[in-house]
Amino acid sequence: MSLLSRAIVLVTANVLLLLACVIFASGFFPYKPFLPGLAEYNTAEYGSPPAAPFNKVVFMVVDALRSDFVFGSESGFSFTQGLIRNGYALPFTAHATAPTVTMPRVKAITTGSIPSFLDMILNFAESDTTSSLAHQDTWLAQMKAKKGGKLIMYGDDTWLKLFPDVFDRADGTSSFFVSDFTEVDNNVTRHVPDELKKEDWTVMIMHYLGMDHIGHKSGPRRRVLNHATVYLVLLTTCSVNMLPKQREMDGIVEKVYNAIDTSQHLSSTLFVLCGDHGMNEGGNHGGSAPGETSPALVFLSPKFSRISKGLPSPIKAKDEFEYYTKIEQSDIAPTLAGLLGFPIPLNNLGVFIAQFLPLWSTDRDRIHILLQNAAQMLQIAKATFPHPFWEDPKADIHCRGSLSSADKLACAWREVNSTLRASRSAEPPAEMIMPFLVYFCKTAQELLSSTASNYNLPHMFLGLALAGSSAVLSLYNAAPLFAKTSMSSNLAFTIVNIGYGVMMFASSYVEEEQQFWYWACSGWFMLLVIKGKSKIGKLSTMTTSLLPLLSLRLLRRWNQSGQKFAGAPDIASFFRKDSSSALLLWTLVLLTYLYLFIRILSSFRQTDLDNIIGRLWAAVICAGSLAFKVAFTWNDEPELVERLVAVIPAAGQRRVMSLMLLDLVFAARMVYLCIGVAVVYVVLLYISGAGQVMKARQTQRLSSTILPLLTTALLLQTRLTNIPTFLLLELLRVTVLSPNVHSNSTSNPPSSLVTTTLSVLLLTHSAYFANGGTNTISSLDLSLAYNGIASFNAPLVGLLLFIGNWAGPIYFAIAAATLSTMAACSVLRTHLFVWTVFSPKFLYTVAWLVGWHLGVNVVVGGALTALS
């Protein structure tokens, strides 16, 4: 086959792989069907609804308000806890199902339904309007439809995307500029005093983002400052942390509650404080860890003192982050419907919270509230689970033994019907009918919420077929390479790919995928040792075999990833232990930058930059990048800088503290500019062949020349505690990927492409997990996505987000494995963990394919190869 034919086959394979992901995703992430229009009361069958105790609502969402932030002993919500103790507030833990990101959670809160996993993807699309709730029934639409209904909103602009043209007054703020802790909340608070004085609105929504941003940048833990340091004042004023933000939000609660308590026009106003989701110990969210799925929920009103004698607060959690009564987040919608007096939204799967039933004095009213809830859910049950009983209430039903979902619902509704008929009156005794109504609602909620999505199977199978075709074309194109490779290398390549594919069909293995790559990498290194013919310069086989294994062992312990060992001690957490460990970290970081400085100078010697200008340019790049990391860490993890300052001499302290005054946006831009200028200059020299570049062409590739420059850029997008891992990655590159590593002698040609590809495949994935990556959405680190950016810019933030989370893999080259993930998602589409394990894994597979394989490997790698 000619070179042109092989190139065409290779391009076709990559195009098919991209099309396969797009088509498969369109079938795997469909929108769930919903009932259009607005619900109405069924007065003919159930009578008129009872009078509502409230006519207005202030709905305050504090993004990422985890339950312990409000109810725990270290909480800053002291005023809120006082209301709970005095009976003016009813607290709950609201269970939020995955994906725990804002858009799907707001959908669940407002519709009472279970959002599609696709909403998680659309959550990151800043300009998306396709996920609008304009044509769905929500409690906002119901309040808008009421006489005099007027809605206002301040805060996260997700509400404006979901509810276009619904709000009469609004001021939205982007939710993705996570470096902003203060202005993003001040923009909401500045509207509050004036709005509380006005009487024209019926719904006031506030969505505060600062707490979520602090979590992404610094985690949920409260910063503890060293009071012995002379820089205490500076540390206190510069550190924006979790506890002060909690106190700030509690101050807003106090301001709103006092206005409701003292203002006549707000006397019948319900106040709701809630989080849309929580956060894990890393400050991130999106997955299904207890901290992520346990936001706080508090209903506040002076009227609640009639039904509550107060509860102790703060308290200890019953289970992980479970305080007081645990409800489903979707229960908010039907509860608001009853409290504010409007029909329950058509697509609701929530259950009215029983603690509020005593607000109605008669059994008839209480029964009516639950009966409307049950009747609404019955309509969804009939559409989802066809059953003869729905058409003929006299049909025989066997309600014992193993029952299908349809039988369970039919049996539960039969008990309700039987009790209503047996009472022979319009008002059956509450103690008889209410338990059956609650049981039916809870059963319907459980079964309907777990119903599989409406997959588009033809699209999924077409995507699988295209991915399979791409794999066949790739193997056909690579057949000559396999023929020139040793049997042991071909066998290892086959075992790794088949083993990875099989592993994708087990949720536990997907959650702990890092173990596969670590062990496969170790086994591959041992195979290279057994082959026993590798040399690098004067380094012996024993040395070159032990160094990769030792480096890999350190990388495995650097960050504990996965689910089983999450939070276990690791090297990164050791650096945060005390002053001596922090000093060790800074020493390793300094050594990393010093090594890169030497590498840059070495690469410049092969070009026209081997002069004083080149040396100064290299010094500016490395020193500027290090200065930025110090200043960034001061804002991100200030205790690491504080501990450094505490152990260095006074002169060094002044130099370090002077870096705190750096403008982070300007500093990052300058470093990127210097790196970019150097890379472009070197590339132009290679293209033109000017000066000493011809010598460089003979001694090294272009990629080797600019690798240290690009590595410096990667360090800018890497957390401080992970920077030393690049020394280990460099050691692996030299000992494993060196051209002469697998050859019999230095005079022989480089190892086969199959051997190199397998080495790169294993090292790339190992590097990703070693830097803290996982297959859960919550592990995405947003804190590095705004380096050099003053405001939200979707393409740039997306690029920096990818680089920041794939900095280790970008150091190597890879061809991603995609077919097995698609097959697993298709076969296991009804699996219990399809949305918490397999769906995130598919999204990560797409990121590996598009961002890494096509972007870095094909485009960047291909360009460097062509230029070289």
Side-chain angles (χ1 to χ4, degrees):
M1 187 166 57
S2 67
L3 185 62
L4 177 61
S5 299
R6 294 181 63 182
I8 293 175
V9 171
L10 193 60
V11 170
T12 302
N14 281 285
V15 172
L16 286 178
L17 197 57
L18 182 60
L19 287 175
C21 276
V22 173
I23 294 174
F24 184 89
S26 68
F28 189 62
F29 296 121
Y31 273 116
K32 290 185 177 181
F34 63 90
L35 301 174
L38 293 181
E40 296 180 355
Y41 283 121
N42 189 348
T43 55
E45 187 171 354
Y46 302 110
S48 301
F54 302 98
N55 57 21
K56 292 185 177 184
V57 60
V58 176
F59 200 82
M60 178 177 172
V61 181
V62 179
D63 213 286
L65 184 64
R66 201 169 67 183
S67 55
D68 60 318
F69 294 168
V70 180
F71 308 134
S73 58
E74 296 184 357
S75 168
F77 284 83
S78 56
F79 178 80
T80 305
Q81 291 183 350
L83 294 179
I84 295 172
R85 289 192 298 269
N86 294 323
Y88 299 119
L90 296 181
F92 303 90
T93 297
H95 177 252
T97 57
T100 47
V101 292
T102 297
M103 180 178 287
R105 298 326 322 147
V106 171
K107 282 192 172 184
I109 289 171
T110 56
T111 65
S113 63
I114 306 300
S116 166
F117 197 87
L118 181 61
D119 292 316
M120 193 281 300
I121 306 172
L122 298 176
N123 185 80
F124 293 98
E126 185 75 2
S127 59
D128 170 67
T129 57
T130 61
S131 55
S132 167
L133 294 175
H135 303 293
Q136 291 194 39
D137 194 3
T138 65
W139 62 260
L140 277 77
Q142 291 286 351
M143 288 295 288
K144 184 79 171 180
K146 291 180 70 173
K147 184 178 180 180
K150 191 171 186 178
L151 283 63
I152 59 177
M153 195 288 299
Y154 301 105
D156 188 350
D157 60 3
T158 299
W159 293 83
L160 300 181
K161 291 190 293 182
L162 289 175
F163 303 99
D165 304 321
V166 168
F167 299 104
D168 296 271
R169 292 190 297 273
D171 187 2
T173 307
S174 173
S175 59
F176 291 107
F177 191 49
V178 299
S179 295
D180 181 7
F181 300 163
T182 53
E183 291 301 319
V184 71
D185 286 346
N186 292 341
N187 193 54
V188 179
T189 303
R190 66 189 178 93
H191 296 284
V192 173
D194 289 339
E195 293 294 355
L196 291 176
K197 297 175 184 177
K198 297 177 181 177
E199 303 181 19
D200 61 338
W201 53 266
T202 53
V203 176
M204 177 180 175
I205 294 174
M206 303 178 290
H207 192 137
Y208 287 92
L209 293 164
M211 189 172 294
D212 177 70
H213 292 183
I214 291 174
H216 284 301
K217 293 289 286 186
S218 315
R221 63 190 180 281
R222 179 162 55 94
R223 302 298 186 191
V224 180
L225 301 179
N226 184 354
H227 290 263
T229 172
V230 295
Y231 296 101
L232 173 63
V233 176
L234 183 58
L235 283 166
T236 303
T237 55
C238 289
S239 178
V240 181
N241 52 53
M242 190 62 73
L243 188 61
K245 179 57 68 174
Q246 292 175 12
R247 289 170 177 161
E248 178 189 343
M249 295 297 99
D250 190 54
I252 305 302
V253 172
E254 182 176 6
K255 184 181 298 184
V256 174
Y257 182 84
N258 287 338
I260 292 174
D261 193 26
T262 58
S263 303
Q264 181 61 34
H265 68 283
L266 297 176
S267 59
S268 293
T269 300
L270 173 65
F271 184 18
V272 181
L273 168 68
C274 69
D276 52 349
H277 50 74
M279 65 174 70
N280 58 24
E281 288 306 309
N284 298 313
H285 54 89
S288 55
E292 301 168 65
T293 61
S294 302
L297 172 64
V298 187
F299 290 80
L300 309 97
S301 170
K303 294 184 178 183
F304 291 151
S305 61
R306 302 202 311 261
I307 63 172
S308 173
K309 295 181 179 179
L311 296 170
S313 186
I315 63 170
K316 292 183 179 180
K318 302 175 186 177
D319 200 354
E320 285 188 282
F321 304 104
E322 183 178 335
Y323 298 83
Y324 304 107
T325 303
K326 185 176 182 179
I327 66 165
E328 293 297 320
Q329 201 173 56
S330 56
D331 295 344
I332 295 175
T335 301
L336 291 180
L339 295 176
L340 294 165
F342 57 79
I344 298 173
L346 289 172
N347 300 286
N348 166 71
L349 297 179
V351 180
F352 185 90
I353 301 174
Q355 281 86 337
F356 295 104
L357 288 174
L359 285 172
W360 288 272
S361 57
T362 66
D363 285 348
R364 176 194 176 279
D365 289 344
R366 295 170 186 168
I367 293 172
H368 190 281
I369 292 293
L370 293 180
L371 195 56
Q372 288 284 357
N373 194 176
Q376 174 267 322
M377 297 184 76
L378 177 63
Q379 300 307 311
I380 301 178
K382 288 181 177 180
T384 307
F385 298 112
H387 196 279
F389 181 77
W390 307 139
E391 304 298 330
D392 182 12
K394 296 181 180 180
D396 278 341
I397 313 176
H398 298 287
C399 295
R400 292 184 179 181
S402 179
L403 302 177
S404 66
S405 297
D407 287 336
K408 288 180 181 178
L409 287 173
C411 290
W413 187 250
R414 186 181 69 174
E415 295 296 337
V416 174
N417 256 349
S418 299
T419 306
L420 288 174
R421 289 199 304 269
S423 66
R424 296 183 180 180
S425 67
E427 298 181 16
E431 62 273 12
M432 290 181 57
I433 187 64
M434 287 178 62
F436 292 121
L437 289 171
V438 171
Y439 176 76
F440 173 79
C441 290
K442 292 287 186 181
T443 303
Q445 181 182 53
E446 179 183 356
L447 296 177
L448 293 171
S449 298
S450 60
T451 303
S453 293
N454 186 25
Y455 297 106
N456 188 327
L457 293 181
H459 280 204
M460 294 174 66
F461 292 146
L462 177 58
L464 279 169
L466 292 176
S469 301
S470 175
V472 170
L473 289 176
S474 299
L475 290 173
Y476 173 74
N477 203 44
L481 299 177
F482 287 106
K484 299 176 182 179
T485 306
S486 66
M487 179 65 71
S488 59
S489 295
N490 285 338
L491 182 61
F493 188 89
T494 303
I495 291 175
V496 167
N497 280 276
I498 293 178
Y500 178 76
V502 172
M503 188 184 70
M504 289 299 98
F505 289 82
S507 61
S508 297
Y509 283 112
V510 172
E511 291 177 334
E512 303 296 329
E513 183 184 337
Q514 77 280 359
Q515 301 295 346
F516 172 85
W517 295 109
Y518 291 155
W519 284 105
C521 207
S522 299
W524 175 241
F525 289 166
M526 289 304 300
L527 179 61
L528 296 180
V529 172
I530 293 172
K531 295 169 74 172
K533 298 179 180 179
S534 63
K535 287 187 178 182
I536 303 178
K538 297 181 180 180
L539 296 180
S540 66
T541 299
M542 183 59 68
T543 304
T544 58
S545 62
L546 290 179
L547 285 178
L549 290 172
L550 178 60
S551 300
L552 182 62
R553 182 59 186 170
L554 289 173
L555 286 173
R556 290 180 63 173
R557 292 290 296 170
W558 209 273
N559 288 281
Q560 291 284 11
S561 55
Q563 297 293 321
K564 187 175 181 180
F565 300 103
D570 53 33
I571 295 176
S573 61
F574 167 77
F575 289 138
R576 301 182 177 96
K577 183 179 179 182
D578 51 35
S579 296
S580 59
S581 56
L583 182 61
L584 175 61
L585 170 63
W586 285 107
T587 303
L588 292 174
V589 169
L590 187 60
L591 287 175
T592 305
Y593 277 101
L594 181 60
Y595 174 78
L596 281 177
F597 176 66
I598 296 172
R599 282 290 317 279
I600 293 173
L601 290 181
S602 177
S603 66
F604 280 179
R605 292 192 186 102
Q606 308 299 325
T607 71
D608 284 351
L609 288 174
D610 186 20
N611 51 40
I612 186 64
I613 296 178
R615 288 188 282 274
L616 285 175
W617 202 260
V620 168
I621 289 174
C622 292
S625 179
L626 179 59
F628 172 82
K629 294 309 295 185
V630 174
F632 180 88
T633 305
W634 174 259
N635 290 271
D636 190 39
E637 297 185 83
E639 69 273 15
L640 289 177
V641 180
E642 181 198 14
R643 289 167 181 166
L644 172 66
V645 169
V647 296
I648 61 177
Q653 290 182 0
R654 288 191 292 271
R655 291 189 179 94
V656 171
M657 300 310 294
S658 66
L659 296 177
M660 304 307 103
L661 303 177
L662 277 178
D663 183 326
L664 290 178
V665 174
F666 177 78
R669 288 176 178 177
M670 289 300 99
V671 175
Y672 281 131
L673 178 62
C674 291
I675 295 173
V677 169
V679 170
V680 171
Y681 183 75
V682 171
V683 170
L684 291 177
L685 285 178
Y686 268 80
I687 294 175
S688 64
Q692 299 183 38
V693 174
M694 295 308 296
K695 181 175 68 174
R697 285 183 183 272
Q698 298 171 1
T699 57
Q700 64 186 74
R701 296 163 60 91
L702 172 61
S703 57
S704 299
T705 304
I706 66 173
L707 178 61
L709 291 170
L710 296 179
T711 303
T712 308
L714 292 178
L715 294 190
L716 218 62
Q717 290 301 118
T718 302
R719 278 195 175 273
L720 185 77
T721 52
N722 287 338
I723 285 179
T725 62
F726 280 83
L727 288 177
L728 299 175
L729 297 182
E730 175 68 4
L731 186 59
L732 287 170
R733 184 188 69 83
V734 172
T735 56
V736 178
L737 297 182
S738 174
N740 298 317
V741 168
H742 314 300
S743 61
N744 292 338
S745 69
T746 56
S747 60
N748 285 347
S751 57
S752 74
L753 285 178
V754 174
T755 302
T756 302
T757 299
L758 182 56
S759 298
V760 169
L761 179 72
L762 295 171
L763 289 172
T764 300
H765 284 81
S766 297
Y768 171 76
F769 289 105
N771 278 340
T774 71
N775 287 324
T776 61
I777 303 302
S778 58
S779 67
L780 284 175
D781 188 355
L782 296 176
S783 64
L784 300 166
Y786 294 87
N787 291 341
I789 301 179
S791 59
F792 182 82
N793 182 297
L796 289 178
V797 168
L799 176 63
L800 293 177
L801 179 66
F802 175 77
I803 295 174
N805 287 274
W806 270 264
I810 291 176
Y811 190 78
F812 298 109
I814 186 179
T818 305
L819 178 60
S820 56
T821 307
M822 290 185 182
C825 289
S826 300
V827 174
L828 302 174
R829 60 186 180 274
T830 59
H831 193 281
L832 177 64
F833 299 137
V834 65
W835 298 122
T836 58
V837 176
F838 296 105
S839 297
K841 175 56 186 173
F842 175 70
L843 294 180
Y844 273 97
T845 299
V846 173
W848 280 98
L849 167 66
V850 178
W852 172 248
H853 175 58
L854 296 181
V856 177
N857 193 42
V858 175
V859 177
V860 178
L864 290 175
T865 302
L867 290 171
S868 297

